[in-house]
Amino acid sequence: MTTATDLDALIARRRPGWSLERAFYTDPPVFAADMQAVWKRNWLFVGHVSRIREHGQYFLVEIAGESLIIIRGKDGAVNALYNVCRHRGSRICLESEGKAKALVCPYHQWTFQPDGALIGARFMPEGFDRAQFGLHRARVEVAEGLIFVALSDDAPSFAPVARDLTRFVAPNGMADRAKICHTHRTRVTANWKLVVENFRECYHCEGSHPEYLSAVSWGKKARSEAENAERTAMGAQARERWKAQGLAVDGTDFGADTWHHCGRGTLKAGYQSWSLDGAPCAPLMGSLPSRDHWLMGFVMYPNFFLEGGCDYLATTRLLPVSATETDIEICWYVHQDAVEGVDYQVDRVTAVWKATAEQDLTLVQNNHAGVASERYQPGPYSTMEATDIEHFLAWYVRQLTAAKPSSACAAR
Amino acid sequence: MTTATDLDALIARRRPGWSLERAFYTDPPVFAADMQAVWKRNWLFVGHVSRIREHGQYFLVEIAGESLIIIRGKDGAVNALYNVCRHRGSRICLESEGKAKALVCPYHQWTFQPDGALIGARFMPEGFDRAQFGLHRARVEVAEGLIFVALSDDAPSFAPVARDLTRFVAPNGMADRAKICHTHRTRVTANWKLVVENFRECYHCEGSHPEYLSAVSWGKKARSEAENAERTAMGAQARERWKAQGLAVDGTDFGADTWHHCGRGTLKAGYQSWSLDGAPCAPLMGSLPSRDHWLMGFVMYPNFFLEGGCDYLATTRLLPVSATETDIEICWYVHQDAVEGVDYQVDRVTAVWKATAEQDLTLVQNNHAGVASERYQPGPYSTMEATDIEHFLAWYVRQLTAAKPSSACAAR
Amino acid sequence: MTTATDLDALIARRRPGWSLERAFYTDPPVFAADMQAVWKRNWLFVGHVSRIREHGQYFLVEIAGESLIIIRGKDGAVNALYNVCRHRGSRICLESEGKAKALVCPYHQWTFQPDGALIGARFMPEGFDRAQFGLHRARVEVAEGLIFVALSDDAPSFAPVARDLTRFVAPNGMADRAKICHTHRTRVTANWKLVVENFRECYHCEGSHPEYLSAVSWGKKARSEAENAERTAMGAQARERWKAQGLAVDGTDFGADTWHHCGRGTLKAGYQSWSLDGAPCAPLMGSLPSRDHWLMGFVMYPNFFLEGGCDYLATTRLLPVSATETDIEICWYVHQDAVEGVDYQVDRVTAVWKATAEQDLTLVQNNHAGVASERYQPGPYSTMEATDIEHFLAWYVRQLTAAKPSSACAAR
């Protein structure tokens, strides 16, 4: 077991460009530190507004044992409420989703508005002040139909992420013209950081992701200068065309202070969709004027991943359960007017990313099983992994160290 | 995790009239303290004598991992023996109930009498003294057919409980003319104190217990002075009638030094049994002269609850498994001569209390799930809960503080 | 929970001739000490060479969460490799057995030879030295076809065990003419030491092992001087005959510094095999010249047990999972040319030892369940147990104390 002091030592010993020591991936005390420093101090993706378009619609989100109610208020606002009655602590909502104009605790019928205010409590003693007993709330941001919550006031400004979501995701109509066409949920036996590391590198792609590589143009390193030049030229042409269509092309890279990135890249020439064969999967989303061979990606630490093209998008949400378990929820989105079986087939829409995600989750479970060995020791990243994973790990360590006053800070 | 010092702080911070802090309900160290201070220092209900009428009959009881053999001796006495061989520690009885004139360890055949004395051990070395190797025993009290055990000598005198069991339960013939007609066992994912709290208040009844409320006269608060007066008059009349029948009517209330209470109240006018429709469920129990609309209740901390009327009784037994799990066993009793299918139907006998108990156990599991949240904080009890729950919690805290010499005591 | 200091106290309090205190059998910290002091510093049996006769054949072994690959190299050597990639720690082999000329990590295709050398790693940075990233290895010894590993360099010399395996096991042809005809795997809920204790005494045989006792001549204590004399005479005669056949008869007893023993004893007169009825089970093994009524036994602490006669052998392998769980693997061996259904029936070959082992494993699980009680306390061994179990326990305690510099050592 790792104590606070051990954590300092672990951080001090970390060697950039190498994988982390075992304790970071397996120890419950490090997981507890992760929860405080990372998961309770950053914005977390929870789901799409199409699940709660109407007043009183809600769904539950479980984050390491905490249950949150994501519910639409009468005023149209999205609220995130702790699913814990202020009377004696009972869970209030028991179903994973539903609709209720008021939230009534099943134990003693304390009744709350969708904004958390207590509006009913029978037989309470003289002097009881309902205003003091509203449900605890988390912060909420909604950007382009995507709902994010923050469990503490320490979370950084959401504005940079919102700006880029508008730039990149808005044309797909996610705010008001998209629906979820399929949801895939699974629990992997792996630390959440191993899942993120996997999602941040494509060194493993060639050995594991035939579906993924069959569509994108950059999956394998170019085999010649000529091939490289060809790709560059195709990319430059495409960027001009996309600009002409009003699509953002200048992505945001990860930098010293950033915790998200996004960009638009090319699928293979001639592809009209991010599908197995490049043929369309579904009607064009949002306000997009025409098909084109682009694939968009958006990553926000620690739990949000979005990928997709002109006719569907997919979001991947990570939520940690324990040091060794992580819940994954993948949702696929199409135009809300598209009719299943007529305009699209779920199997075709989900084919590439479902196969890829299942391959990834097998890889990270094998990774976790090996990392749990006493003989595991950190290894060096390849040139195909180093930059992206290192950015994530450096950000992660900054979270751990920022979460408490360091001795240097105390000296100031 | 909670250390001993934390426990002192938790106790010091407790606010009467409010629910306990989370650690009391979820932390393993508090559970360990509960086991020592409460469960090993108080009388515990284990079962009814009808399960072991004959010499050698036994049943097992599991209390937080400890296995006890409750067995009838040749002399008719009921013994409670630790199910741990004194040779190398094997479990001796492996079935949950059975009959054996001698207890033979399955490992090396050490043989014990039903009173625990070692009477056979082959090939032991010179000087081996069988008298030193009898099975460890727990204390036993049997009152009106109900068997109670105490795991230490520190348990308080059982006399006050025995006296009231005789006053209230004897007329139902539980000592020698009752049998178990149904048993319901379940494990709830909830701390044992949440189960007790639930059983000690009826604030939740109106929202959850239609069957229960359909029969009793006091379930809902009276809606008018007139209704209140009517109830009072009916109660006074009934008490005179019951006294005339030789039935105890003056119950024992919980007080500063008491850990049980009992009483007799009225079912709705005209009810002849505590059944869904008030019609009889079974033949009159014991020596009762005639049907009447009473419901008797008996509670003994920490694990015994009895309720019932003139034709059946039900006992509810709590046994903790861990900080987050509690085993519940409910037994229903009828006259031993009653014939199933002829004199009674199990479904009718169990209808009210089974429905009520299942509702309760769902409520306490929801309660526990919410209390486990980091955002749970103690809330105020309503006027319908405060007195009864507070009595239990005050008793509970007295157990924790009495179990070790406090600094105040040390100073004396 | 037991701290290092507690362990010293536990050891100091141990009373020879009595079973151990509960903490030795149930506490995770004692289990952690066992792993370091016993399991990582001694030779462990893992399996038979017939599973990996060909280059690249491998099987996995799990020891308390560690996964080892036992694999045949190109040079014919048997290697034991930690199943943890040196890149980012992934498990490399995922199937419990297989064949692979090279070990390719499924994550990023780092490729290793069966001797652990890294021979392939794409896109690694300048200066990356493959020689530094071979798989971690455990030590391996193969004696008479039986594979043993040691997880540290501190393991004692294997020579004495190898010598006795050659003396006793070689005639059965285990090195090159035996095959596994059946494997039985099970996980018992019991500390590994309780399993060893069970295997080291026959006090329990009379009550539990009718099949075992039906065949051996010494299972029950002789009931008279005459019977004893008869047994002795039969033994002496047999020994002369075995010597004439070139079979070892002088076993090795456990002594102050030994951690294995072996010997050859008599089955009942007339028995030709260690079968239920004494009739042959299979063709003679190895180079044995003729059937005879002997039963051979070989024990090596902490995890190897071998028993069998002239036509089959059985090995029993223990591998701890946790303080309360132990994996058992039993393999039966016959002549490699014997044809199932023609020359032997699996049911007949396995009948005695399978029945006996299942009886034993039930006994140790009952033992563990009782030892976990707070009221368990050490008990005295009988005269039929004391010597053999005490030898094991004394060896065990020596491992614990030898594993760290004691204060006495520090003073030197």
Side-chain angles (χ1 to χ4, degrees):
Chain A
M1 303 278 271
T2 305
T3 64
T5 315
D6 292 339
L7 186 57
D8 288 340
L10 281 170
I11 292 170
R13 278 203 304 271
R14 187 180 84 90
R15 189 171 169 187
W18 293 62
S19 61
L20 298 177
E21 285 190 40
R22 179 170 72 138
F24 278 114
Y25 298 120
T26 60
D27 269 24
V30 175
F31 180 73
D34 285 4
M35 293 311 298
Q36 295 304 323
V38 178
W39 291 85
K40 297 200 171 158
R41 294 166 57 96
N42 281 286
W43 289 97
L44 308 177
F45 173 63
V46 293
H48 188 243
V49 293
S50 62
R51 301 182 65 181
I52 52 170
R53 291 257 186 246
E54 295 170 37
H55 169 211
Q57 278 192 306
Y58 69 84
F59 62 89
L60 301 186
V61 177
E62 294 272 344
I63 305 177
E66 294 294 323
S67 175
L68 285 179
I69 307 164
I70 312 298
I71 186 166
R72 176 79 66 176
K74 202 172 180 179
D75 58 357
V78 174
N79 302 290
L81 308 173
Y82 282 86
N83 193 2
V84 180
C85 186
R86 293 295 307 280
H87 173 222
R88 278 170 57 191
S90 178
R91 284 275 170 99
I92 295 170
C93 293
L94 307 176
E95 303 298 323
S96 62
E97 54 193 359
K99 184 173 177 179
K101 298 237 162 124
L103 298 172
V104 181
C105 178
Y107 205 165
H108 303 91
Q109 291 73 52
W110 280 31
T111 302
F112 304 87
Q113 285 182 164
D115 65 359
L118 175 63
I119 54 173
R122 300 168 299 135
F123 298 113
M124 294 309 295
E126 197 77 27
F128 175 73
D129 177 9
R130 286 182 185 176
Q132 304 303 314
F133 294 91
L135 296 179
H136 291 298
R137 297 169 55 91
R139 291 166 67 195
V140 175
E141 293 277 0
V142 180
E144 302 306 326
L146 300 161
I147 308 169
F148 298 82
V149 303
L151 306 185
S152 84
D153 294 334
D154 297 331
S157 163
F158 188 71
V161 174
R163 211 149 42 221
D164 274 342
L165 284 170
T166 298
R167 289 206 302 137
F168 277 84
V169 177
N172 282 60
M174 286 287 280
D176 54 5
R177 275 166 293 170
K179 68 174 180 184
I180 297 170
C181 70
H182 187 65
T183 300
H184 179 70
R185 295 188 178 98
T186 188
R187 176 166 292 182
V188 294
T189 305
N191 185 271
W192 67 273
K193 293 187 287 292
L194 293 176
V195 183
V196 176
E197 291 181 31
N198 171 275
F199 284 2
R200 296 297 301 120
E201 53 96 353
C202 215
Y203 185 33
H204 69 273
C205 292
E206 189 160 348
S208 296
H209 295 324
E211 296 83 359
Y212 187 85
L213 292 186
S214 74
V216 298
S217 66
W218 66 85
K220 304 185 185 184
K221 283 222 167 179
R223 272 160 303 181
S224 64
E225 281 302 310
E227 187 176 348
N228 217 19
E230 192 183 333
R231 283 188 192 178
T232 305
M234 182 177 82
Q237 272 187 339
R239 287 166 59 90
E240 291 310 311
R241 200 167 60 242
W242 301 339
K243 270 189 206 169
Q245 292 174 3
L247 297 175
V249 295
D250 295 313
T252 296
D253 282 337
F254 278 124
D257 293 324
T258 54
W259 37 282
H260 81 285
H261 87 157
C262 54
R264 197 182 305 269
T266 47
L267 294 169
K268 279 191 182 153
Y271 269 57
Q272 298 193 287
S273 174
W274 189 34
S275 60
L276 287 179
D277 57 5
C281 278
L284 280 170
M285 290 187 80
S287 57
L288 290 167
S290 63
R291 293 188 174 275
D292 207 331
H293 63 134
W294 52 260
L295 178 65
M296 177 169 65
F298 203 110
V299 173
M300 185 195 79
Y301 298 151
N303 91 325
F304 175 65
F305 301 84
L306 175 148
E307 305 208 43
C310 58
D311 52 9
Y312 77 88
L313 296 182
T315 57
T316 303
R317 180 187 85 177
L318 272 53
L319 290 174
V321 177
S322 67
T324 62
E325 291 172 307
T326 306
D327 278 341
I328 311 289
E329 181 181 280
I330 307 176
C331 292
W332 285 264
Y333 308 82
V334 295
H335 195 291
Q336 69 179 9
D337 299 334
V339 179
E340 185 179 349
V342 176
D343 297 319
Y344 69 95
Q345 311 290 342
V346 167
D347 283 355
R348 274 186 54 76
V349 171
T350 61
V352 177
W353 190 239
K354 193 167 191 177
T356 305
E358 285 176 353
Q359 291 150 358
D360 277 334
L361 299 177
T362 299
L363 294 175
V364 298
Q365 295 195 84
N366 295 336
N367 194 1
H368 189 96
V371 162
S373 164
E374 285 194 12
R375 293 304 286 267
Y376 161 76
Q377 57 193 113
Y381 292 117
S382 69
T383 57
M384 283 185 73
E385 302 163 288
T387 308
D388 287 341
I389 298 187
E390 179 56 30
H391 182 274
F392 165 62
L393 294 180
W395 172 83
Y396 165 66
V397 167
R398 280 202 307 277
Q399 307 305 302
L400 289 182
T401 47
K404 54 182 172 59
S406 72
S407 46
C409 290
R412 268 188 286 181
Chain B
M1 302 278 273
T2 306
T3 64
T5 314
D6 292 339
L7 186 58
D8 288 340
L10 281 169
I11 292 169
R13 277 203 304 270
R14 187 179 86 90
R15 190 171 167 186
W18 293 61
S19 60
L20 298 177
E21 285 190 40
R22 179 170 72 137
F24 278 114
Y25 299 119
T26 61
D27 268 25
V30 175
F31 180 74
D34 286 4
M35 292 311 300
Q36 295 303 323
V38 177
W39 291 85
K40 296 199 172 160
R41 293 166 57 96
N42 281 285
W43 289 98
L44 308 177
F45 174 62
V46 292
H48 188 243
V49 293
S50 63
R51 299 182 66 180
I52 52 170
R53 289 259 186 245
E54 293 170 37
H55 168 211
Q57 276 191 309
Y58 69 85
F59 61 90
L60 301 187
V61 177
E62 296 271 344
I63 305 176
E66 294 294 322
S67 174
L68 285 179
I69 307 164
I70 311 297
I71 186 166
R72 176 78 68 176
K74 201 172 179 178
D75 58 356
V78 174
N79 302 291
L81 308 173
Y82 283 86
N83 193 3
V84 181
C85 186
R86 293 297 306 281
H87 173 222
R88 279 171 55 193
S90 178
R91 285 274 170 99
I92 295 169
C93 292
L94 307 177
E95 302 299 323
S96 61
E97 54 192 359
K99 184 173 178 177
K101 298 237 161 126
L103 298 172
V104 181
C105 179
Y107 204 165
H108 303 92
Q109 290 72 53
W110 280 31
T111 302
F112 303 88
Q113 284 182 164
D115 64 359
L118 175 64
I119 53 173
R122 300 168 300 135
F123 298 114
M124 293 310 294
E126 198 77 25
F128 175 74
D129 177 10
R130 288 182 184 176
Q132 303 303 314
F133 293 91
L135 295 180
H136 291 298
R137 298 170 55 92
R139 292 167 66 195
V140 176
E141 293 277 0
V142 181
E144 302 306 327
L146 300 163
I147 308 169
F148 298 82
V149 304
L151 306 185
S152 84
D153 294 335
D154 297 330
S157 164
F158 188 73
V161 174
R163 211 149 42 221
D164 273 343
L165 284 171
T166 298
R167 289 206 302 135
F168 278 84
V169 176
N172 283 61
M174 285 288 278
D176 56 5
R177 273 166 293 170
K179 67 174 180 184
I180 297 170
C181 70
H182 188 64
T183 300
H184 180 70
R185 296 187 177 97
T186 190
R187 176 166 294 182
V188 293
T189 304
N191 185 271
W192 67 271
K193 294 187 287 290
L194 292 177
V195 183
V196 176
E197 291 181 30
N198 170 275
F199 284 1
R200 296 297 301 120
E201 53 98 353
C202 215
Y203 185 34
H204 69 273
C205 293
E206 188 160 349
S208 296
H209 294 325
E211 295 83 359
Y212 188 85
L213 292 186
S214 75
V216 299
S217 66
W218 67 85
K220 305 185 189 186
K221 282 222 167 177
R223 272 160 304 181
S224 64
E225 281 302 311
E227 187 176 349
N228 217 17
E230 192 182 332
R231 284 188 191 178
T232 305
M234 181 177 84
Q237 272 188 340
R239 286 166 60 88
E240 290 311 311
R241 198 165 64 241
W242 301 338
K243 270 191 208 167
Q245 292 173 3
L247 297 176
V249 294
D250 295 313
T252 297
D253 282 337
F254 277 124
D257 294 324
T258 54
W259 36 282
H260 81 286
H261 87 158
C262 55
R264 199 182 304 268
T266 46
L267 293 170
K268 280 191 182 152
Y271 270 57
Q272 299 192 289
S273 174
W274 189 36
S275 60
L276 287 179
D277 56 6
C281 279
L284 279 170
M285 289 187 81
S287 58
L288 290 167
S290 63
R291 291 187 175 278
D292 207 330
H293 63 133
W294 53 260
L295 178 65
M296 174 169 68
F298 203 108
V299 173
M300 185 194 79
Y301 297 151
N303 91 324
F304 175 66
F305 301 83
L306 177 148
E307 306 207 42
C310 58
D311 53 9
Y312 77 89
L313 295 182
T315 57
T316 303
R317 180 187 87 177
L318 272 52
L319 290 173
V321 177
S322 67
T324 61
E325 291 172 307
T326 306
D327 278 340
I328 310 288
E329 182 182 279
I330 307 175
C331 293
W332 285 263
Y333 308 83
V334 295
H335 196 290
Q336 70 178 10
D337 298 335
V339 178
E340 184 179 351
V342 177
D343 297 318
Y344 69 95
Q345 311 290 342
V346 167
D347 283 355
R348 274 185 54 76
V349 171
T350 62
V352 177
W353 190 240
K354 194 168 191 176
T356 305
E358 285 176 354
Q359 291 150 358
D360 276 336
L361 298 177
T362 299
L363 294 176
V364 298
Q365 295 195 84
N366 295 336
N367 194 1
H368 188 96
V371 162
S373 164
E374 284 194 12
R375 294 304 288 266
Y376 161 76
Q377 57 194 112
Y381 292 117
S382 69
T383 57
M384 283 184 74
E385 303 162 287
T387 308
D388 287 341
I389 298 188
E390 180 55 31
H391 182 273
F392 165 62
L393 294 180
W395 172 83
Y396 165 67
V397 168
R398 281 202 306 278
Q399 306 305 302
L400 289 182
T401 48
K404 56 184 169 61
S406 72
S407 47
C409 291
R412 268 189 285 182
Chain C
M1 303 277 273
T2 304
T3 64
T5 314
D6 292 340
L7 186 58
D8 288 340
L10 280 169
I11 292 170
R13 278 202 304 270
R14 187 180 85 90
R15 189 169 168 187
W18 293 62
S19 60
L20 297 177
E21 285 189 40
R22 179 170 70 138
F24 277 113
Y25 299 120
T26 60
D27 268 25
V30 175
F31 181 73
D34 286 4
M35 292 311 298
Q36 295 304 323
V38 177
W39 291 85
K40 296 199 172 159
R41 294 167 57 97
N42 281 285
W43 289 97
L44 308 177
F45 174 62
V46 293
H48 188 242
V49 292
S50 63
R51 299 181 67 181
I52 52 169
R53 291 258 186 243
E54 294 170 37
H55 168 211
Q57 278 191 308
Y58 69 85
F59 62 90
L60 301 187
V61 177
E62 295 271 343
I63 305 176
E66 294 293 323
S67 174
L68 284 179
I69 306 165
I70 312 298
I71 185 167
R72 177 78 67 176
K74 201 172 179 179
D75 58 358
V78 174
N79 301 291
L81 308 173
Y82 282 85
N83 192 5
V84 180
C85 186
R86 293 297 305 282
H87 173 222
R88 280 171 56 192
S90 178
R91 284 274 170 99
I92 295 169
C93 293
L94 307 176
E95 302 299 322
S96 62
E97 55 193 358
K99 184 174 178 178
K101 297 237 162 125
L103 299 172
V104 181
C105 178
Y107 205 164
H108 303 92
Q109 289 74 53
W110 280 30
T111 302
F112 302 88
Q113 285 183 164
D115 65 359
L118 175 63
I119 53 172
R122 299 169 301 136
F123 299 111
M124 294 310 293
E126 199 77 24
F128 175 74
D129 178 10
R130 287 183 183 175
Q132 303 303 314
F133 293 91
L135 295 179
H136 291 298
R137 297 170 55 90
R139 292 166 66 194
V140 175
E141 293 276 0
V142 180
E144 302 306 326
L146 300 162
I147 308 169
F148 298 82
V149 303
L151 306 185
S152 83
D153 293 335
D154 298 331
S157 164
F158 188 72
V161 175
R163 213 151 39 223
D164 273 343
L165 284 171
T166 298
R167 289 206 302 137
F168 277 83
V169 177
N172 281 60
M174 285 288 278
D176 55 6
R177 276 166 292 170
K179 67 174 180 184
I180 296 170
C181 71
H182 187 65
T183 300
H184 179 70
R185 297 188 177 96
T186 189
R187 177 166 292 182
V188 294
T189 305
N191 186 271
W192 68 272
K193 294 186 288 290
L194 293 177
V195 183
V196 176
E197 291 181 31
N198 171 275
F199 284 2
R200 296 297 301 120
E201 53 96 354
C202 216
Y203 185 33
H204 68 274
C205 293
E206 189 159 349
S208 296
H209 295 323
E211 296 84 358
Y212 187 86
L213 292 186
S214 75
V216 298
S217 66
W218 67 85
K220 305 185 186 186
K221 283 222 165 179
R223 272 159 303 183
S224 64
E225 281 301 311
E227 187 176 348
N228 219 15
E230 192 183 332
R231 284 187 193 180
T232 306
M234 182 177 82
Q237 271 186 340
R239 287 167 59 89
E240 290 310 310
R241 198 166 61 243
W242 301 339
K243 271 189 206 167
Q245 292 173 2
L247 296 176
V249 295
D250 295 314
T252 295
D253 280 338
F254 278 124
D257 293 324
T258 54
W259 37 282
H260 81 285
H261 87 156
C262 56
R264 198 182 304 269
T266 47
L267 294 169
K268 280 190 182 154
Y271 270 55
Q272 299 194 288
S273 174
W274 189 35
S275 60
L276 287 178
D277 56 7
C281 279
L284 280 170
M285 290 187 82
S287 58
L288 290 168
S290 62
R291 293 186 174 279
D292 207 330
H293 63 133
W294 52 261
L295 178 65
M296 176 170 68
F298 203 108
V299 173
M300 185 195 79
Y301 297 151
N303 90 325
F304 175 65
F305 301 84
L306 177 149
E307 305 207 43
C310 59
D311 52 9
Y312 77 89
L313 296 182
T315 56
T316 303
R317 180 187 87 177
L318 272 53
L319 290 173
V321 177
S322 67
T324 62
E325 291 172 307
T326 306
D327 277 341
I328 311 288
E329 181 182 280
I330 308 177
C331 293
W332 285 262
Y333 308 83
V334 295
H335 195 290
Q336 70 179 7
D337 299 333
V339 178
E340 184 178 349
V342 177
D343 298 318
Y344 69 95
Q345 311 290 343
V346 168
D347 283 356
R348 274 186 53 77
V349 171
T350 61
V352 178
W353 189 240
K354 195 168 189 176
T356 305
E358 284 176 353
Q359 291 150 359
D360 277 335
L361 298 178
T362 299
L363 294 175
V364 298
Q365 294 193 87
N366 295 336
N367 193 2
H368 189 96
V371 162
S373 163
E374 284 194 12
R375 294 305 288 266
Y376 162 75
Q377 57 192 112
Y381 292 117
S382 70
T383 57
M384 282 184 74
E385 302 163 288
T387 308
D388 287 340
I389 298 187
E390 179 56 30
H391 181 273
F392 165 63
L393 294 180
W395 172 83
Y396 166 67
V397 167
R398 280 202 307 277
Q399 305 305 302
L400 289 182
T401 47
K404 56 182 170 63
S406 73
S407 48
C409 290
R412 269 190 283 178

